[in-house]
Amino acid sequence: MAIERTLSIIKPDAVKKNVVGKILSRFEDADLNISAMRFALLSKDDAAGFYAVHKERPFFNDLVEFMTSGPVCIQVLEGEDAIKKNRELMGATDPKQADAGTIRADFAESIDANAVHGSDSSENAAIEIAYFFPSMNVYRR
Ligand code: IDP
Ligand code: MG
């Protein structure tokens, strides 16, 4: 299996709950390395640009509103099969549907405030990593 990189965001609800460290531990315990990380308070344009693929969806404005409601913590995670592995650690988009023991089952309240973002494909991972991190800031093992 290939070493991959994926973009992860700990969303405003989870930052407010003070569970950044607990969520980062899930990644490390699953052998995903944190290769870059920073906090940011996204502007409406930042969030809308990041979620541009969803701009026709009915929940788009709520999503942008939520993602700009407080600071987020953004990471690049690196490891074997990192994109799929992170999606498994995250759990389903709706925390009520998420498997027990996943990040969303344990830390999220609702489909709007669902604790984490994770890239869904290698193409999107590359786009999303470049959106937030200049390549010189991504640590290479
Ligand atoms: P994902 O985060 O599991 O990849 P996506 O379908 O890519 O889910 O949707 C992006 C984000 O938009 C979700 O994490 C969630 O916060 C929000 N979202 C998705 N579907 C809905 C919905 O039906 N109602 C409200 N918010 C939604
Ligand atoms: Mg998605």
Side-chain angles (χ1 to χ4, degrees):
M1 227 166 285
I3 299 290
E4 293 177 339
R5 288 172 168 188
T6 189
L7 188 89
S8 164
I9 304 178
I10 302 178
K11 295 185 179 183
D13 57 320
V15 174
K16 279 196 190 99
K17 276 190 203 162
N18 210 19
V19 292
V20 169
K22 286 183 178 155
I23 292 175
L24 294 176
S25 291
R26 301 281 177 108
F27 303 143
E28 293 182 333
D29 290 347
D31 285 331
L32 292 174
N33 301 321
I34 300 165
S35 302
M37 183 157 73
R38 70 184 175 101
F39 282 90
L41 185 56
L42 302 181
S43 68
K44 297 268 192 295
D45 282 351
D46 293 333
F50 181 73
Y51 278 121
V53 290
H54 292 311
K55 66 176 181 292
E56 305 303 334
R57 310 280 287 275
F59 57 82
F60 180 72
N61 287 339
D62 288 343
L63 178 59
V64 168
E65 198 66 40
F66 172 66
M67 289 300 287
T68 58
S69 66
V72 295
C73 182
I74 313 166
Q75 304 84 46
V76 176
L77 303 177
E78 184 187 69
E80 291 230 334
D81 208 15
I83 296 163
K84 181 158 158 268
K85 192 185 264 186
N86 183 41
R87 296 292 306 192
E88 287 169 2
L89 293 173
M90 290 164 61
T93 306
D94 181 352
K96 292 180 190 71
Q97 314 290 326
D99 289 343
T102 60
I103 293 168
R104 283 167 164 168
D106 290 345
F107 299 112
E109 303 307 325
S110 68
I111 195 165
D112 304 273
N114 63 0
V116 280
H117 165 85
S119 307
D120 62 6
S121 65
S122 55
E123 294 74 23
N124 285 337
I127 293 166
E128 291 176 2
I129 290 168
Y131 193 80
F132 287 119
F133 294 102
S135 60
M136 63 181 265
N137 291 144
V138 182
Y139 181 81
R140 283 162 204 280
R141 300 217 171 219

